[in-house]
Amino acid sequence: MDQGRGTSFMEFLAREQVGMSPGLSQVVSSIVAGCGLIHKQVNLAGLADVLGVTGATNVQGETVQKLDAISRDIIVRHCLTCDQIAAIATEEDEQMIPGSTTGTYLVTLDPLDGSSNIDVNVGVGTIFSVWLRPLKSRPVQETDFLQAGTEQLVAGYIIYGSSTMLVITLGKGVNGFTFDPGAGLFLLSHPNIRIPDKPKYFSVNEGNWSRWAIQIQTLVSQLKDRLSARYIGSLVADFHRNLLKGGIFLYPADTKSPGGKLRYLYEVATMSLLAERAGGRASTGSLPALQHRPTALHERVPFFVGNQDEVEQIERTFAS
Ligand code: P6P
């Protein structure tokens, strides 16, 4: 059964919208349309003099690549045209960006994740989630974003790789849509994605070995005995491969990043909802990642995500 392969994302959204408010599907359409514009920039990167760095550093203390800045401007400008979006929080902005005073939803974004790979043509991506604005009786404030991952209404990413693909959960399963440049549409190519039962890969930056706790060193040694190593330093690319082929991604805390490196609201929460809706599991080591409630916009957490058995084994390691 083709499960609707070839259906455009907008047709799919209209069908799925039965369970969604019209306003929420308007927000999703804005985000996906904005990513379509980023796709153009990423694909032209080598030609349109957008490679390289801007000379600025972001709130994370990371060098801002030109494409980072361009992607952030594109997606924020696009989202702000949607009157359903009350505010936006992105990796590139220290504070939240206020939107429509009557907006119902909040959006969290990593406009171009994996940006350190931009100049070497490795897969990068836009990570996004949509949340409900807690209170409409007062202006939006930053603490409105500090919600547990279980509160997400929509989670997804666009990977700009050998093809551009949207992977999204709108409330039930996870579906993948591949961009058809000829038609200018995202078409359903991976209906009802489920992480394979048998993992193939483990993904971790072994350059951090000497900074890990002994339990993590032992764990990774055991993974080496069973799985193949695949790590490209771009969360969207590493996650996407493991989602489709089966595997475990680890970014543990270490002496350089004692709270972990990945940002909860716009990296970990999004990928955790996608993984769990695809039959996998996500954890910070001390609790299921979706149950974590951040206390700051750019809070970082340790992150383990992928096959359920593999993540449960990691949780047992921390519990022992
Ligand atoms: P490291 C990219 O900057 C990023 O936030 C994620 O996309 C990626 O998983 C991680 O950092 C890579 O970090 O320390 O291995 O280079």
Side-chain angles (χ1 to χ4, degrees):
M1 193 176 106
D2 74 356
Q3 292 179 299
R5 281 185 176 81
T7 306
S8 78
F9 177 64
M10 297 317 286
E11 289 162 338
F12 184 89
L13 191 59
R15 195 174 68 217
E16 290 296 304
Q17 190 180 329
V18 173
M20 288 171 71
S21 77
L24 181 55
S25 80
Q26 204 184 317
V27 170
V28 174
S29 309
S30 285
I31 294 169
V32 173
C35 291
L37 299 174
I38 294 174
H39 156 84
K40 288 199 178 84
Q41 288 296 326
V42 169
N43 276 16
L44 285 174
L47 302 175
D49 183 32
V50 292
L51 295 184
V53 298
T54 61
T57 53
N58 64 14
V59 62
Q60 321 291 341
E62 294 166 343
T63 302
V64 178
Q65 307 273 352
K66 283 183 185 173
L67 258 182
D68 262 336
I70 290 169
S71 301
R72 178 263 179 217
D73 292 348
I74 288 173
I75 190 89
V76 166
R77 195 170 51 242
H78 210 84
C79 285
L80 290 180
T81 63
C82 175
D83 62 9
Q84 295 291 334
I85 297 175
I88 304 167
T90 90
E91 172 180 304
E92 302 300 330
D93 296 89
E94 186 151 4
Q95 270 94 35
M96 74 170 194
I97 303 160
S100 160
T101 53
T102 57
T104 304
Y105 302 101
L106 305 177
V107 172
T108 51
L109 285 165
D110 186 349
L112 203 62
D113 175 72
S115 51
S116 54
N117 288 302
I118 288 171
D119 292 0
V120 293
N121 217 12
V122 162
V124 292
T126 301
I127 306 175
F128 61 88
S129 288
V130 185
W131 314 67
L132 196 60
R133 174 185 177 179
L135 265 182
K136 291 186 87 168
S137 55
R138 58 153 171 74
V140 178
Q141 55 196 39
E142 215 144 88
T143 51
D144 292 340
F145 282 91
L146 306 184
Q147 304 182 37
T150 46
E151 299 303 312
Q152 294 172 92
L153 300 172
V154 173
Y157 60 82
I158 301 242
I159 180 167
Y160 311 103
S162 46
S163 66
T164 291
M165 197 169 148
L166 164 67
V167 176
I168 190 167
T169 179
L170 295 164
K172 294 191 290 284
V174 177
N175 291 281
F177 301 81
T178 299
F179 188 67
D180 175 345
L185 293 172
F186 283 99
L187 303 180
L188 183 61
S189 53
H190 298 65
N192 192 27
I193 296 173
R194 303 293 291 172
I195 192 166
D197 292 337
K198 189 168 170 13
K200 283 182 77 171
Y201 304 118
F202 75 96
S203 307
V204 69
N205 182 346
E206 292 190 60
N208 293 327
W209 179 275
S210 62
R211 292 189 279 267
W212 289 336
I214 184 71
Q215 303 97 311
I216 297 293
Q217 291 176 341
T218 306
L219 183 85
V220 171
S221 299
Q222 290 164 350
L223 289 171
K224 285 183 176 190
D225 294 341
R226 296 188 291 112
L227 305 176
S228 291
R230 290 288 188 284
Y231 188 78
I232 201 158
S234 174
L235 174 62
V236 173
D238 281 319
F239 179 88
H240 188 67
R241 179 196 51 246
N242 293 355
L243 179 70
L244 297 188
K245 300 294 183 188
I248 176 83
F249 173 93
L250 309 88
Y251 209 106
D254 60 39
T255 51
K256 186 174 72 173
S257 311
K261 173 179 182 181
L262 298 183
R263 279 60 52 139
Y264 184 74
L265 278 176
Y266 37 79
E267 288 176 319
V268 172
T270 307
M271 296 323 208
S272 298
L273 189 63
L274 288 164
E276 303 241 341
R277 290 256 173 91
R281 187 172 175 83
S283 178
T284 62
S286 50
L287 82 161
L290 287 175
Q291 292 175 19
H292 178 85
R293 189 186 177 106
T295 55
L297 212 49
H298 300 288
E299 183 167 294
R300 300 168 190 263
V301 291
F303 188 35
F304 308 92
V305 63
N307 286 80
Q308 180 156 348
D309 296 350
E310 299 294 334
V311 175
E312 285 173 346
Q313 186 177 330
I314 291 171
E315 290 174 318
R316 284 193 293 273
T317 305
F318 280 101
S320 56

